[in-house]
């Protein structure tokens, strides 16, 4: 198999030229290493599946999520209502699908926002050094010295409302610090290297050096941290919404479906279980995926 | 070393001061100040009373003046008065601190000891079925929402099999002495289980990877080559070095533990600082929220400072300044 692989690579190299061939083999190497990580492949598949269900919720959900039917209140899971019905007779599986749209959007968009803000701050701190670095890193120190949930609580009280954008804003505001530290340390070591010096000597602008030389080379840890952050923010959303300070009903999110879970425990346990299981499976999938990506992209990485 | 210490202490003080400015600003702009709430609650309050009260409490002063006044009071040990409890914040925190320490401390110790033991075992038996099982377990522990795990435990161990209480910290009317201590312990089981799970999961992973790194080192190979018994190699050569980073990680894990405490205390109505903070934020109890937040930050920053010092003391390779 190894020789066959090599022969294929050689053939390809002739066709595509040296440059493209190395790029191709890196992508392929990553894919091969990723595929070996069975849990990561499963995690990735589950994440894709859940995201698809969320996107297709309007077509897949058997009922409208807000459709109240007082005659069907507190229905135990059955063939017509696989996850049962809640205190207003709403179909829980339909609500869970729509809730997935909200919870996954919060996870994806917050992670993306954190990646962008963290990268910008990290590159600025690492590249310019000096005062920029000191100021940014002191801000990071300050934000990292208080636990996040209390900060979220205050921000949630400060910004009334219960929408998705508000939660994402809060998460990004306090969440970029980790990525910025990662990127900064990458940039600090990259900045010294010859290819950056060469680019500078050739007259490349600062922006070009950052975007073409520094950021792409720091991409591996950014991708891994962002993947893991998706799960983290889904957990954050669920906690805030459970406490009643996140996404406000009637819009369903996995977290706010659990808001009254402590009452449900006594006589409607399915209502306390299903949303939690979904959060659990989703976060687990993203964590496996992130772990697999770390091993595949750069085994030496320690995010 | 002394210079390093001084530098780190100053840095920590600056961080705390910066944080207090940030938190104060955020809380000041939170809608619903005390006078406004009073006026809403009591229709007898006239607009001129509102004006007088606002002036009395200095609510219309510029932000910086209010902050400096607050800072001066705190420096004199005056944390203010709680709106909802009608008690000095100091008294309130004094009542709650012990409860949180009991809960968090117990969970943290269990997590650290059990998690490290599992981590060491996993590393020494890498790729064994047990290692695989523990790794999966640690992933499960980290992915489970803290509060939901609490709800599931309540469902199983308080509703289906009524072994433990579903919340609170004491049963009313229990005789003091041993019965009371026993009762406290009984209430402690479920919340500690929740807090310890996620902690255990992360300690397992940290210690496992740290141990794996160390047992590949040359000095471990040398010890083996000398023909030392395996026990001695593990204890004297590998473990000592593998546990060094744990000192730093203990400090770094503090914010996460406190996050867990806020949620766990809320789920189990455990009368600690976390529950206090949550209720203070909901009830616009500014002084309480500020004091608890600063306390949490103080613990975190203090732990980091302590970790740096401890690291320098324990690891002779590290010499600051």
């Amino acid at each position: 198999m190894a020789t066959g692989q090599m022969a294929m690579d050689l053939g390809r190299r002739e066709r595509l030229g040296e440059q493209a061939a190395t790029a191709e083999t890196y992508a392929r190497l990553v894919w091969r290493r990723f595929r070996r990580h069975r849990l990561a492949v499963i995690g990735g598949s589950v994440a894709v599946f859940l995201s698809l269900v969320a996107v297709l919720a309007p077509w897949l959900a058997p009922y409208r999520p807000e459709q109240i039917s007082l005659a069907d209140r507190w229905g135990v899971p059955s063939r017509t209502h696989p996850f049962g019905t809640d205190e207003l007779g709403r179909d829980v599986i339909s609500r869970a699908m729509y809730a997935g749209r909200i919870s996954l959007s919060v996870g994806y968009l917050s992670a993306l926002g954190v990646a962008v803000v963290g990268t910008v701050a990290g590159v600025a701190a690492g590249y310019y050094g000096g005062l920029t670095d000191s100021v940014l890193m002191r801000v990071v120190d300050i934000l990292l010295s208080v636990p996040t949930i209390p900060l979220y609580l205050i921000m949630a009280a400060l910004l009334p409302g219960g929408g998705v954008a508000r939660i994402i804003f809060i998460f990004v505001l306090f969440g970029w610090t980790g990525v910025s530290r990662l990127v900064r340390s990458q940039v600090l070591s990259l900045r010294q290297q010859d290819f950056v010096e060469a680019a500078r000597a050739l007259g490349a602008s600062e922006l070009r050096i950052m975007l073409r030389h520094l950021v792409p080379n720091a991409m591996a840890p950014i991708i891994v941290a962002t993947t893991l952050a998706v799960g983290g923010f889904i957990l954050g959303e669920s906690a805030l919404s459970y406490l009643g300070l996140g996404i406000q009903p009637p819009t369903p999110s996995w977290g706010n479906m659990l808001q009254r879970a402590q009452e449900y425990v006594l006589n409607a346990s399915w209502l306390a279980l299903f949303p939690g299981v979904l959060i659990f499976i989703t976060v687990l999938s993203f964590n496996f995926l992130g772990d697999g990506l770390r091993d595949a992209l750069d085994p030496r990485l320690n995010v | 070393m002394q210079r390093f210490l001084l530098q780190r202490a100053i840095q920590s003080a600056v961080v705390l001061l910066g944080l207090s400015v940030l938190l104060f600003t955020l809380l000041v702009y939170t809608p619903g100040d005390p006078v406004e709430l009073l006026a809403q609650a009591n229709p007898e309050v006239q607009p001129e009373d509102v004006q007088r009260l606002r002036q009395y409490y200095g609510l219309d002063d510029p932000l910086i003046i209010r902050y400096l006044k607050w800072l001066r009071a705190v420096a004199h040990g005056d944390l203010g008065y709680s709106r909802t409890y009608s008690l000095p914040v100091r008294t309130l925190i004094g009542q709650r601190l012990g409860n949180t320490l009991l809960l968090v401390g117990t969970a943290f110790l269990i997590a650290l000891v059990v998690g490290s033991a599992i981590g060491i075992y996993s590393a020494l038996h890498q790729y064994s079925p047990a290692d695989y099982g523990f790794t999966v377990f640690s992933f499960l522990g980290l992915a489970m929402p803290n509060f939901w795990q609490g709800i599931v435990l309540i469902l199983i161990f308080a509703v289906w099999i009524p072994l433990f209480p579903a919340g609170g910290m004491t049963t009313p009317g229990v005789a003091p002495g041993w019965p009371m201590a026993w009762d406290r312990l009984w209430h402690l089981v479920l919340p500690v289980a929740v807090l310890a799970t996620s902690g255990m999961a992360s300690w397992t992973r940290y210690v496992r990877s740290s141990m794996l790194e160390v047992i590949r080192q040359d000095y471990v190979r040398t010890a083996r080559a000398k023909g030392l018994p395996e026990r001695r190699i593990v204890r004297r050569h590998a473990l000592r070095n593998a546990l060094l980073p744990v000192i730093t990680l203990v400090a770094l894990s503090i914010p996460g533990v406190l996050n867990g405490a806020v949620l766990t205390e809320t789920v189990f109505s455990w009368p600690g600082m976390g529950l206090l903070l949550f209720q203070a934020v909901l009830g616009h109890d500014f002084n309480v929220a500020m004091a608890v937040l600063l306390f949490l930050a103080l613990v975190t920053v203090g732990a980091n400072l302590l970790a740096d010092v401890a690291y320098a003391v324990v690891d002779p390779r590290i010499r600051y300044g």
Side-chain angles (χ1 to χ4, degrees), chain B residues 6 15 37 68 71 76 102 137 185-186 197 227 256 262:
Chain B
L6 192 69
V15 164
L37 291 167
L68 290 176
L71 193 64
H76 286 92
L102 179 67
F137 164 80
L185 197 67
W186 189 53
T197 308
V262 173

Side-chain angles (χ1 to χ4, degrees), chain A residues 27-302:
Chain A
R28 233 206 273 170
L29 183 72
V30 166
W31 174 237
R32 211 172 38 219
R33 278 197 298 228
F34 180 74
R35 238 178 7 189
R36 259 204 325 244
H37 210 301
R38 211 183 322 152
L39 286 170
V41 175
I42 297 173
S45 316
V46 173
V48 169
F49 171 75
L50 287 167
S51 307
L52 276 178
V53 171
V55 171
L56 300 176
W59 294 277
L60 291 177
Y63 300 87
R64 302 280 316 140
E66 69 280 356
Q67 188 184 319
I68 292 171
S69 162
L70 293 178
D72 300 319
R73 283 191 301 171
W74 307 113
V76 292
S78 63
R79 198 171 303 165
T80 42
H81 299 284
F83 285 8
T85 57
D86 65 7
E87 72 274 17
L88 295 173
R90 294 173 297 191
D91 179 51
V92 176
I93 198 171
S94 307
R95 284 180 65 72
M97 285 177 182
Y98 277 88
R101 292 167 86 98
I102 303 290
S103 295
L104 283 165
S105 305
V106 169
Y108 281 125
L109 294 175
S110 306
L112 198 69
V114 160
V116 171
V117 176
T119 303
V120 170
V123 168
Y127 186 82
Y128 291 115
L131 188 66
T132 319
D133 187 32
S134 304
V135 170
L136 278 170
M137 287 306 117
R138 284 303 81 74
V139 173
V140 170
D141 284 343
I142 290 175
L143 288 180
L144 285 178
S145 66
V146 67
T148 45
I149 297 266
L151 273 182
Y152 294 162
L153 287 181
I154 298 201
M155 283 309 290
L158 180 65
L159 302 171
V164 174
R166 162 174 165 273
I167 293 282
I168 295 172
F169 174 75
I170 294 174
F171 284 167
V172 174
L173 193 63
F174 295 118
W176 56 275
T177 50
V179 175
S180 81
R181 272 198 174 168
L182 274 177
V183 174
R184 174 179 173 270
S185 71
Q186 291 277 318
V187 169
L188 280 180
S189 71
L190 286 170
R191 173 175 86 157
Q192 315 285 345
Q193 287 180 24
D194 292 341
F195 70 92
V196 175
E197 197 56 44
R200 200 172 291 134
L202 285 170
S205 67
E206 285 187 329
L207 196 66
R208 187 180 161 84
I209 290 175
M210 290 181 200
L211 291 179
R212 291 290 304 232
H213 300 281
L214 297 178
V215 174
N217 279 296
M219 219 50 204
I222 297 175
I223 290 173
V224 175
T226 307
T227 311
L228 294 172
V230 176
F233 288 126
I234 289 175
L235 280 179
E237 182 277 319
S238 74
L240 260 190
S241 297
Y242 165 72
L243 293 174
L245 292 163
I247 306 288
Q248 293 304 320
T251 308
S253 84
W254 288 335
N256 75 23
M257 288 176 77
L258 289 170
Q259 239 177 58
R260 295 176 58 190
Q262 253 152 322
E263 305 162 40
Y264 299 147
V265 151
L266 293 174
N267 47 22
S269 51
W270 65 92
L271 292 177
L273 289 177
F274 287 117
V277 171
L278 284 169
I279 299 169
F280 183 33
I281 292 175
T282 311
V283 176
L284 194 61
S285 306
F286 279 104
N287 287 356
F288 278 137
L289 182 63
D291 217 49
L293 281 175
R294 163 174 38 216
D295 292 347
L297 288 171
D298 184 354
R300 291 161 309 169
L301 220 60
N302 203 359

Side-chain angles (χ1 to χ4, degrees), chain A residues 6-28:
Chain A
M6 209 182 281
M8 266 174 71
D9 281 351
L10 282 175
R12 204 169 278 259
R13 190 162 301 181
E14 274 163 32
R15 268 180 286 130
L16 299 172
E18 195 77 20
Q19 194 73 46
T22 34
E24 169 79 9
T25 33
Y26 176 66
R28 233 206 273 170

Side-chain angles (χ1 to χ4, degrees), chain B residues 3-290:
Chain B
R3 237 188 91 192
F4 166 77
L5 266 186
L6 192 69
Q7 218 173 348
R8 281 291 282 112
I10 293 172
Q11 201 186 337
S12 304
V14 170
V15 164
L16 276 177
L17 207 65
L19 194 68
S20 74
V21 173
L22 174 74
L23 293 176
F24 193 89
T25 314
L26 290 179
L27 280 171
V28 159
Y29 287 110
T30 304
D33 67 49
V35 175
E36 212 172 286
L37 291 167
L38 182 74
Q40 277 166 14
N42 186 350
E44 303 277 297
V45 176
Q46 299 301 313
E48 49 269 27
D49 298 329
V50 169
Q51 207 45 52
R52 201 162 37 81
L53 280 169
R54 290 192 72 85
Q55 207 153 24
Y56 177 73
Y57 286 121
L59 291 181
D60 293 324
D61 291 345
L63 181 64
I64 180 120
I65 303 287
R66 289 184 66 183
Y67 173 75
L68 290 176
K69 274 186 186 167
W70 172 86
L71 193 64
R72 195 178 59 189
V74 169
H76 286 92
D78 175 15
L79 294 173
Y81 223 65
S82 161
R83 236 172 51 74
T84 29
Y85 292 88
S86 305
L87 279 174
V89 175
R90 265 174 77 159
T91 321
L92 203 54
I93 287 185
Q95 289 168 357
R96 301 299 190 96
L97 183 59
N99 301 341
T100 293
L101 277 180
L102 179 67
L103 173 66
V104 172
T106 315
F108 191 78
L109 271 181
I110 293 177
L112 186 60
V113 172
V114 179
S116 303
I118 295 176
I120 294 165
Y121 182 89
S122 269
L124 295 177
H125 302 82
Q126 199 185 4
Y127 303 130
S128 70
D131 175 34
Y132 197 75
F134 286 133
T135 305
V136 169
F137 164 80
S138 68
F139 265 100
L140 297 182
L142 288 175
M144 207 173 333
N146 212 306
F147 69 92
W148 182 68
Q149 194 197 348
I151 290 165
V152 172
L153 287 186
I154 290 175
L155 178 64
I156 299 176
F157 294 108
V159 178
W160 287 345
I161 318 167
L163 277 179
F164 299 105
M169 198 178 70
T170 44
T171 315
V174 172
W178 281 112
M180 197 178 233
W182 190 245
D183 181 63
R184 185 68 49 93
L185 197 67
W186 189 53
H187 280 84
L188 205 55
V189 174
L190 293 186
V192 162
V194 170
L195 261 182
T197 308
S198 52
M200 214 147 72
S202 34
W203 287 119
T204 303
R205 297 192 64 186
Y206 291 147
V207 173
R208 178 179 179 273
S209 69
S210 168
M211 192 74 183
L212 279 177
E213 208 163 286
V214 169
I215 51 180
R216 288 197 201 108
Q217 299 290 322
D218 288 341
Y219 53 80
V220 172
R221 193 182 307 150
T222 311
R224 270 215 184 93
K226 283 198 299 187
L228 287 182
E230 190 64 26
R231 268 183 98 79
R232 197 176 157 85
I233 296 172
V234 169
R235 285 204 186 154
R236 295 288 298 250
H237 297 256
L239 196 54
R240 286 188 157 205
N241 287 297
L243 291 183
L244 276 180
V246 169
I247 296 174
T248 313
L249 290 170
V250 166
L252 288 179
S253 72
I254 298 280
V257 172
L258 296 175
N259 275 336
V262 173
L263 287 166
T264 310
E265 286 183 2
T266 308
V267 173
F268 287 95
S269 343
W270 185 266
M273 307 265 286
L275 187 61
L276 185 66
L277 174 71
F278 175 55
Q279 288 165 344
V281 169
L282 285 191
H284 305 284
D285 207 342
F286 179 96
N287 289 336
V288 173
M290 193 69 200

Side-chain angles (χ1 to χ4, degrees), chain B residues 307-318:
Chain B
D308 281 349
V309 178
Y311 213 87
V313 172
V314 176
D315 190 343
R317 283 170 299 186
I318 293 181

